[in-house]
Amino acid sequence: MNKKFRKAVYTVGMLASLVATSACTNLDEKVYDTLVNENFYNTREEVISAVLRPYTHANAWATPGQDGWWRLSEYSADQLAWPVKGRHGQDGGKWIRLHYHTWTGDDASIQQAWNLMYWGMGLCTSPIEALEGRDISNMGITEEEKAAFIAELKLFRAFHYLKIMDIWGNVPIVTQVGVPVSPTTAPRNEVFNFIEKEILENIEKIPVLSATMTGRMSRAGAYAMLVELYLNAEVWTGTARWDDCIAAANQIINGNAGAQNGQMALDPNITDAFKPDNHLSKETIFALAYEFQKSNTQPQWTADFFYFNQRAITGGGRNGNDGTVVIPGVYATFPTADLRKTAWMLHGPQMRFDDPTQPVLGSNDEYQGQPVVFVDNIRKNLEAIRNGTDPELLPSDMTTGEGTSGVRFNKYQLGHIAHPSYNSTDWHFYRLTWVYFAKAEALMRKNAGVATAEAVELINASKQRAYTATDWPTYAYTPATLTLTELLAERGREFIFEGFRRQDLIRFGRFHTDSWWDHQPTDINKTLFAIPNNQRVLNPNLAQNAGYN
C-alpha cells in the first residue's frame, strides 16, 4: 500500500482548509475567510492538499463520532441505540428522539449533519472551480493530472450528494460556491439524475483502484456509488433499476475497476476487513484511511462505541463515552454458531487485555470498581438486585439503562497499543461483501422476490466465512430459504454498525411500519429527515419535507 499517500491525506490535506471553507453550509451565507485562488494552487503540493481536503472532512460526517450521516442512519433504525444510562446519555434527548422518530426541524443533530455534509460538498466544489479556472503552468501539474483531479472531486462531491439525498431526499443542487445565493429545492428524482450524470461523465477519467488510490475516490468507488444509487432507485425515483445495479456490481466483482491489494476478492476471514492493518484487505472498495503512526490522526468512532474503561478491554490507549449499544434482542438473532456474534460484539464478563484472568472494572458509572458485564437488556439490574426484586419485571426503554446495559461494538479493531498499525484502522464506505449482497438482492427483485442460484451463491460466499466447516451445512442458504425477509435479516447481521440499516429498512418497506424493542411504527414521512429550520430561515427557497410543517 502507499503509506506516503495515507499520511498525505491527514497532513498535507489540512493545508487546504482555508481554501475551501466556503462550503455551502449555510447556502446563502457570504464567506469572507477564503483565500483568493491566485494566492493558492501555485505548487503541486498546494493543489494536492486542496484535492485531499474533502477526505479529511469526511471523518466528521460519514463515520460515527459526530452528528452526521452515520448517526442519523443508525440511531433511527432497529439495531443500535444510545440510551440514557444512569446519569449519562441524556444529551438533550437527541438520541431518544432519533430512536422514537420524534425529531423535528429544530433538532441540533439534524442541523449539524446538514452543516457538515454540505460543508464537505463545498470542499469539493471550491477546488473544482479553482482547477477549472486556472492554467496548469501556474499550478505545477500536467493536463492529465488536472483532468483526473477535477473528475475525482466531482465524483466525491457526488458521494456527498448521494448521502445527502439518502437523508433528506429533496435538496438544492449547487455546483458553484455561493451561486445562486438562495438555491431552490430540487425534487429527489432530479438530485438522483444529477448524481448519476456526474458519475457517468467522470468515472472513466479517474484511475482504477490500486494501493496508490488508498483512501481516495477511484473507479471502483464510483461503480460502488452506482450500485447504491440503482439499488435504491425504486425508493428514490419510483423506477426500479435492477439491471443497472447488477451491471455496476459486475464491474467491481469482475475486477474491471481495480483493487487495492491484488485481485478484488472477498477476504477469507470475517475479521480481515476490520483489523488495524485492514489496508491489506482484499475487499476494500472505498474507505477512509488513517495513518496514526505518521500523521497523529485517528478514527473518531471510539467516542460513540467505547466504554468508559475500554482501554482495559482492548489494550489500546482510548476510552469512549459509553454510548452505542445493540438494541435488546438483536444479539439473539445471531445463531450461537455464527462467529460474527463473538467476533464483532462484546457480551458478558469483560476481562483485562493485559491479564485475561482479571475482570475489567467499571468506571464512572453504577459499576464503579465492580466487574464489567455487558448484558442484552436495558434496565436497572443493579437496583433490582439491591432491592431484592426480579430484574425481568423492570421497565426497559431509552431512559432506563445502566453503565453496562446492552451488548457492545467490537467490529472494527484498533489493536493493542504495541500493534504496528495501532489506531490506524480504515473505515469502509464500501466493501466487496456489500456489493455481493446488492447484486443478490437485485437478482431476487427481478425474479419476483425468489432467490436465483446466483443470488444464493453470492450470499453463501459471504456468509460461509461466519461458520466453521462443521456448522456450515446447517446454515447454508438454498433458493427456498433465502427469502427477501431472510435477506434483510442477513444484511442486518453482516453489516451491523456499518451505516446502512435505515436505508435497508426503507427499501424493504419496514422503517416506518415495524416495531423493535420499545419502538413503535411511525409516520411514513419519517423516511426522510426534516430540512433544518435554521437553514430555511437563512434560505427561504428551501422547501420543507412533507410532515414537518
Side-chain angles (χ1 to χ4, degrees):
M1 69 171 290
N2 189 330
K3 284 185 172 287
K4 183 177 181 181
F5 170 75
R6 287 166 62 83
K7 180 181 179 182
V9 171
Y10 289 100
T11 52
V12 176
M14 292 302 293
L15 297 176
S17 60
L18 291 177
V19 180
T21 48
S22 55
C24 302
T25 299
N26 295 327
L27 293 177
D28 64 345
E29 266 190 320
K30 294 181 179 179
V31 180
Y32 301 97
D33 59 350
T34 57
L35 294 175
V36 177
N37 287 339
E38 287 72 17
N39 297 332
F40 201 71
Y41 300 95
N42 292 320
T43 67
R44 178 180 174 82
E45 182 180 69
E46 289 179 351
V47 171
I48 292 176
S49 71
V51 172
L52 300 185
R53 177 63 180 101
Y55 295 104
T56 69
H57 181 75
N59 183 58
W61 66 266
T63 73
Q66 294 190 54
D67 290 328
W69 171 81
W70 189 94
R71 281 184 174 177
L72 296 187
S73 297
E74 288 288 9
Y75 295 143
S76 64
D78 65 350
Q79 290 189 310
L80 306 179
W82 189 318
V84 175
K85 306 180 198 70
R87 67 180 186 273
H88 301 290
Q90 186 62 242
D91 297 330
K94 66 179 184 178
W95 316 119
I96 294 173
R97 290 190 293 277
L98 281 174
H99 177 74
Y100 294 128
H101 297 184
T102 56
W103 57 76
T104 71
D106 293 318
D107 264 62
S109 57
I110 299 175
Q111 294 173 4
Q112 176 70 351
W114 178 282
N115 292 345
L116 288 172
M117 295 169 79
Y118 266 99
W119 181 1
M121 182 274 292
L123 289 170
C124 297
T125 298
S126 181
I128 289 171
E129 289 187 348
L131 291 171
E132 287 180 333
R134 298 198 64 193
D135 188 86
I136 60 168
S137 62
N138 298 319
M139 295 187 288
I141 59 175
T142 67
E143 286 289 356
E144 292 76 13
E145 288 174 324
K146 176 182 174 180
F149 287 151
I150 292 171
E152 178 182 349
L153 287 164
K154 286 185 176 181
L155 287 166
F156 196 36
R157 182 174 64 186
F159 179 75
H160 287 72
Y161 265 116
L162 193 156
K163 299 303 184 182
I164 287 170
M165 179 180 66
D166 179 28
I167 294 293
W168 289 286
N170 314 293
V171 295
I173 300 171
V174 180
T175 59
Q176 293 179 271
V177 175
V179 180
V181 173
S182 298
T184 58
T185 300
R188 196 182 221 178
N189 67 307
E190 288 186 18
V191 183
F192 181 101
N193 292 337
F194 167 76
I195 296 168
E196 182 185 27
K197 182 174 181 289
E198 287 282 278
I199 297 172
L200 295 177
E201 287 181 351
N202 291 284
I203 195 168
E204 296 296 326
K205 299 176 183 178
I206 60 170
V208 298
L209 177 60
S210 65
T212 60
M213 292 300 289
T214 298
R216 293 172 68 176
M217 177 61 71
S218 70
R219 204 170 297 176
Y223 275 116
M225 281 196 290
L226 287 177
V227 173
E228 183 175 0
L229 200 66
Y230 297 141
L231 181 67
N232 295 283
E234 190 168 26
V235 171
W236 291 347
T237 70
T239 301
R241 302 281 295 273
W242 306 122
D243 285 326
D244 290 328
C245 180
I246 293 166
N250 284 339
Q251 291 291 330
I252 298 170
I253 293 170
N254 296 338
N256 297 335
Q260 190 165 295
N261 295 288
Q263 184 70 25
M264 182 70 70
L266 294 180
D267 289 322
N269 302 307
I270 59 171
T271 56
D272 289 344
F274 311 105
K275 298 188 297 187
D277 54 0
N278 65 345
H279 58 274
L280 302 176
S281 167
K282 288 282 190 181
E283 67 176 77
T284 299
I285 294 174
F286 182 34
L288 190 62
Y290 298 94
E291 190 68 36
F292 178 68
Q293 285 67 30
K294 294 186 177 181
S295 66
N296 201 36
T297 56
Q298 57 190 352
Q300 67 167 356
W301 43 260
T302 56
D304 281 29
F305 290 142
F306 280 6
Y307 177 63
F308 293 129
N309 196 18
Q310 192 81 13
R311 287 182 295 188
I313 300 173
T314 64
R318 303 184 67 183
N319 292 323
N321 295 327
D322 193 34
T324 306
V325 306
V326 178
I327 284 175
V330 172
Y331 182 71
T333 66
F334 289 74
T336 302
D338 191 329
L339 302 177
R340 296 169 297 190
K341 188 171 189 175
T342 51
W344 291 354
M345 291 177 280
L346 297 176
H347 176 257
Q350 301 302 300
M351 310 307 288
R352 293 188 62 87
F353 178 87
D354 58 1
D355 184 356
T357 68
Q358 297 299 312
V360 173
L361 300 182
S363 174
N364 200 31
D365 61 18
E366 302 91 334
Y367 291 86
Q368 181 83 28
Q370 299 182 45
V372 171
V373 180
F374 294 133
V375 294
D376 188 19
N377 59 67
I378 298 174
R379 62 192 185 210
K380 304 288 187 182
N381 293 302
L382 189 59
E383 181 179 305
I385 293 171
R386 289 171 175 169
N387 294 337
T389 56
D390 183 358
E392 295 287 343
L393 300 178
L394 293 174
S396 176
D397 58 43
M398 283 290 287
T399 67
T400 61
E402 298 177 321
T404 59
S405 292
V407 175
R408 303 305 174 92
F409 166 94
N410 196 42
K411 193 169 191 177
Y412 281 83
Q413 301 285 313
L414 290 182
H416 60 86
I417 205 162
H419 192 288
S421 296
Y422 168 68
N423 214 17
S424 298
T425 312
D426 297 344
W427 183 272
H428 292 282
F429 296 140
Y430 299 113
R431 57 188 179 97
L432 185 59
T433 302
W434 180 84
V435 173
Y436 271 41
F437 272 73
K439 181 180 178 181
E441 182 179 334
L443 289 168
M444 293 175 67
R445 300 278 188 183
K446 281 188 61 181
N447 197 39
V450 178
T452 65
E454 186 179 6
V456 172
E457 182 181 355
L458 287 164
I459 302 303
N460 278 342
S462 301
K463 183 183 179 183
Q464 186 171 1
R465 300 171 297 176
Y467 293 87
T468 66
T470 300
D471 289 328
W472 174 240
T474 303
Y475 294 95
Y477 286 123
T478 67
T481 59
L482 184 59
T483 62
L484 281 175
T485 298
E486 180 56 27
L487 179 64
L488 177 61
E490 182 62 17
R491 284 190 69 93
R493 290 186 284 267
E494 178 63 33
F495 302 110
I496 189 170
F497 304 115
E498 295 191 44
F500 290 102
R501 191 59 178 174
R502 168 187 165 273
Q503 187 184 96
D504 290 346
L505 291 176
I506 292 172
R507 193 171 62 257
F508 280 78
R510 304 274 291 273
F511 183 73
H512 68 286
T513 60
D514 275 17
S515 300
W516 51 84
W517 180 34
D518 65 330
H519 172 97
Q520 299 301 314
T522 53
D523 187 343
I524 192 173
N525 290 319
K526 297 298 183 176
T527 55
L528 290 178
F529 281 88
I531 303 296
N533 285 332
N534 66 339
Q535 294 294 329
R536 297 185 66 225
V537 171
L538 291 166
N539 178 7
N541 290 330
L542 281 178
Q544 184 57 275
N545 282 327
Y548 293 105
N549 286 313

